[in-house]
Amino acid sequence: QVQLVESGGGLVQAGGSLKLNCTASGTMFSIDAMGWHRQAPGKERELVAAIATDGSTKYGDSVKGRFTISRDNAKKTIYLEMNSLRPDDTAVYYCNQYRSSWYHPSALDAWGQGTLVTVSL
């Protein structure tokens, strides 16, 4: 059974930075695309960033140029570097695994428990 554990969330002022980590177990990891989604209060869950096994990446429009996703297969960990944070980035951030080498939405599989990111003015 795949388990995903996120860490690194917290409270930060607007304009600041945070780095989220997600460590996987119960999976080979290197053959899985991985990603981050987020859900703000009263809003639908949305894609933040995804990374394929070949290192190709995809970002949500609202975070392009500010967030960077990366992976370390040896550590079975993905990262989300978040810069220039804004109050509308406030959300619960979820790590996810795709049962595919590519980030097809239909291949979304395991999810972490989520970590809260709060950006204050």
PDB file of all heavy atoms in Angstrom, residues 17 110 116:
ATOM      1  N   SER A  17       8.591  32.528   1.413  1.00  0.00           N
ATOM      2  CA  SER A  17       8.820  31.236   0.763  1.00  0.00           C
ATOM      3  C   SER A  17       8.600  30.094   1.734  1.00  0.00           C
ATOM      4  O   SER A  17       8.769  30.254   2.953  1.00  0.00           O
ATOM      5  CB  SER A  17      10.260  31.166   0.233  1.00  0.00           C
ATOM      6  OG  SER A  17      10.499  32.159  -0.721  1.00  0.00           O
ATOM      7  N   ALA A 110      -2.714   7.407  -5.221  1.00  0.00           N
ATOM      8  CA  ALA A 110      -2.596   7.646  -3.785  1.00  0.00           C
ATOM      9  C   ALA A 110      -2.490   9.127  -3.455  1.00  0.00           C
ATOM     10  O   ALA A 110      -1.993   9.925  -4.262  1.00  0.00           O
ATOM     11  CB  ALA A 110      -1.386   6.904  -3.243  1.00  0.00           C
ATOM     12  N   LEU A 116      -1.129  22.079   5.729  1.00  0.00           N
ATOM     13  CA  LEU A 116      -1.743  23.398   5.606  1.00  0.00           C
ATOM     14  C   LEU A 116      -0.682  24.471   5.379  1.00  0.00           C
ATOM     15  O   LEU A 116       0.300  24.555   6.126  1.00  0.00           O
ATOM     16  CB  LEU A 116      -2.553  23.727   6.854  1.00  0.00           C
ATOM     17  CG  LEU A 116      -3.221  25.104   6.898  1.00  0.00           C
ATOM     18  CD1 LEU A 116      -4.243  25.248   5.782  1.00  0.00           C
ATOM     19  CD2 LEU A 116      -3.885  25.329   8.266  1.00  0.00           C
TER      20      LEU A 116
END
